[in-house]
Amino acid sequence: MKNVFDQLNEFANQMMTEVKKAADQGEAPAKKLVRHIRTTESDLKEIDRLLERQRTLLVELTQKQDEAKELADKRFAQVEIAKEAGEQELAERAAIESKHYGEQFRFFEELIVETKRELNQLEREALELKLKLEDLQNKRYEWMMRENVSNLKSKMNQVLEREPNATIKQEQHPFTTEEPESKEEEAPIAEDDIDARIADLERRFQK
């Protein structure tokens, strides 16, 4: 049976898969990610509560172990006192209780070792989940940024579609403004005028 940490781990992985799928389908991944983050935060609060309960149990087990050791040592010492006093029956009762509390001490000793080991493991797993939650929270900013960029581009495209012929007016810098072209152009030499002048020259040479 999977524990709560394995379940949350699977949940986090499934969540990222669903968020990416939502992004591919054009949905709002940031909002979906926020819902998953809130669910995970709620689960982690419950995990913290259970971990604190486990720490409290460890303290209680340590107290029970100390009590058992104290009673075992006390009854063991009373056995000798009863024997010296010739109270055999009392010595036997003290010996039975001393053995009983000694067994309790060893029971709590083993249980404490196991509890500490489990608690350390659970605390490490809880830390990993908290770090994974931080990664998800950081991922949320990435998706928010991507969504905002997508919305901005979409809005800009809408503006361009409404004004397909709109152009941006360019302002010329005062120091780079080109001088207007001169309206006066040199009159081209008429082809007929050239012929007339050549003919006139030829007449002069003939004279």
Side-chain angles (χ1 to χ4, degrees):
M1 183 176 179
K2 296 179 181 179
N3 60 33
V4 65
F5 297 98
D6 293 332
Q7 293 173 358
L8 275 179
N9 238 333
E10 287 186 2
F11 170 77
N13 293 331
Q14 291 174 0
M15 178 192 64
M16 288 308 302
T17 301
E18 290 178 11
V19 169
K20 291 178 181 178
K21 184 178 178 181
D24 294 337
Q25 294 176 351
E27 299 178 15
K31 293 181 180 179
K32 196 164 190 176
L33 185 59
V34 168
R35 290 197 298 270
H36 286 305
I37 287 175
R38 287 175 179 170
T39 301
T40 305
E41 287 174 339
S42 177
D43 291 333
L44 283 174
K45 286 181 180 179
E46 178 63 13
I47 287 174
D48 285 338
R49 187 188 68 81
L50 293 173
L51 284 173
E52 189 58 36
R53 173 58 179 157
Q54 192 73 359
R55 296 185 190 100
T56 301
L57 286 172
L58 180 59
V59 172
E60 293 176 358
L61 288 173
T62 303
Q63 291 174 346
K64 295 294 290 184
Q65 181 193 30
D66 292 341
E67 290 174 3
K69 184 179 185 304
E70 183 179 352
L71 286 172
D73 292 343
K74 181 179 180 180
R75 291 292 183 264
F76 183 80
Q78 289 174 342
V79 170
E80 296 302 320
I81 295 174
K83 283 181 178 181
E84 290 177 1
E87 297 287 340
Q88 188 61 31
E89 181 182 354
L90 185 60
E92 290 177 357
R93 287 179 55 189
I96 292 173
E97 289 192 13
S98 177
K99 181 182 177 182
H100 170 73
Y101 290 123
E103 291 173 350
Q104 277 194 353
F105 171 81
R106 287 186 291 274
F107 168 77
F108 286 120
E109 185 177 41
E110 293 176 1
L111 189 57
I112 287 171
V113 170
E114 181 182 355
T115 302
K116 285 181 177 179
R117 182 176 63 250
E118 290 291 340
L119 180 59
N120 289 336
Q121 179 64 26
L122 292 172
E123 286 176 335
R124 283 196 299 272
E125 292 178 356
L127 176 60
E128 290 176 1
L129 287 174
K130 289 179 180 179
L131 295 176
K132 183 167 289 187
L133 176 61
E134 287 185 6
D135 291 339
L136 295 176
Q137 291 169 334
N138 293 335
K139 196 72 176 175
R140 177 171 63 95
Y141 289 105
E142 177 187 351
W143 285 115
M144 289 172 63
M145 180 275 292
R146 293 183 184 278
E147 280 187 22
N148 192 57
V149 170
S150 177
N151 293 336
L152 180 58
K153 288 182 178 180
S154 177
K155 181 59 66 175
M156 293 174 69
N157 288 334
Q158 289 178 9
V159 173
L160 292 175
E161 288 173 1
R162 287 199 303 268
E163 300 292 340
N165 298 322
T167 56
I168 299 175
K169 182 179 179 181
Q170 290 185 337
E171 295 184 359
Q172 294 180 334
H173 194 280
F175 299 111
T176 59
T177 303
E178 297 181 0
E179 295 184 0
E181 296 181 358
S182 175
K183 294 182 179 180
E184 296 182 0
E185 297 181 356
E186 294 183 5
I189 300 176
E191 188 175 340
D192 293 342
D193 184 51
I194 294 176
D195 291 339
R197 292 178 63 184
I198 293 296
D200 183 59
L201 290 174
E202 289 176 344
R203 285 193 297 271
R204 289 181 185 179
F205 287 133
Q206 289 175 358
K207 293 179 179 180

